[in-house]
Amino acid sequence: LSYRLLSYKMNGSYPVFHKDENVVENFFGTKVADPYRWLENPDAEQTKAFVDAENAITMPYINSCPHKEQMKSKIAELWDYEKYQCPFKRGPRYFYFYNSGLQNQAVLYMMDELKGPARVFFD
């Protein structure tokens, strides 16, 4: 599957965007350029235009891929298992995060004691 996917060609040309050469950090004497720092603001018009342009070339490729549904179901199969995070104590209560499998994010549970029943604290 992965070899066939790699041989699939993408149409269209990659959009060209502004590189801000003025953003340079100094880390203990080593200068590191960060020309795309402007992308870190998801609400900026420049960032929205970048995302739209990227999606304009990426989504037709993804949607026309003959292996899309096969890959989507395989990923769902691989990710569909229970996930518990290590419990932690805050004050007199215990908390832990739990994901039943394909939830978008884990749910925070609370317990009065480690062997007691858990209840949803934040979902």
Side-chain angles (χ1 to χ4, degrees), residues 13-17 47-59:
S13 58
Y14 194 78
V16 177
F17 280 90
T47 303
K48 290 177 184 178
F50 177 85
V51 170
D52 289 343
E54 291 290 311
N55 284 338
I57 63 166
T58 304
M59 294 315 294

Side-chain angles (χ1 to χ4, degrees), residues 68-95:
K68 177 183 173 185
E69 289 306 314
Q70 183 182 2
M71 290 177 8
K72 184 178 177 181
S73 70
K74 184 62 177 179
I75 289 170
E77 175 190 331
L78 293 171
W79 284 349
D80 192 10
Y81 64 93
E82 291 182 310
K83 299 160 198 75
Y84 289 89
Q85 291 187 7
C86 203
F88 56 94
K89 187 174 184 179
R90 292 293 185 269
R93 294 190 174 86
Y94 295 90
F95 298 86

Side-chain angles (χ1 to χ4, degrees), residues 10-11 21 42 46 69 75 84 94 104 108 112 117-118:
M10 194 165 171
N11 295 323
E21 303 294 342
Q46 257 188 319
E69 289 306 314
I75 289 170
Y84 289 89
Y94 295 90
N104 287 335
L108 180 60
D112 292 325

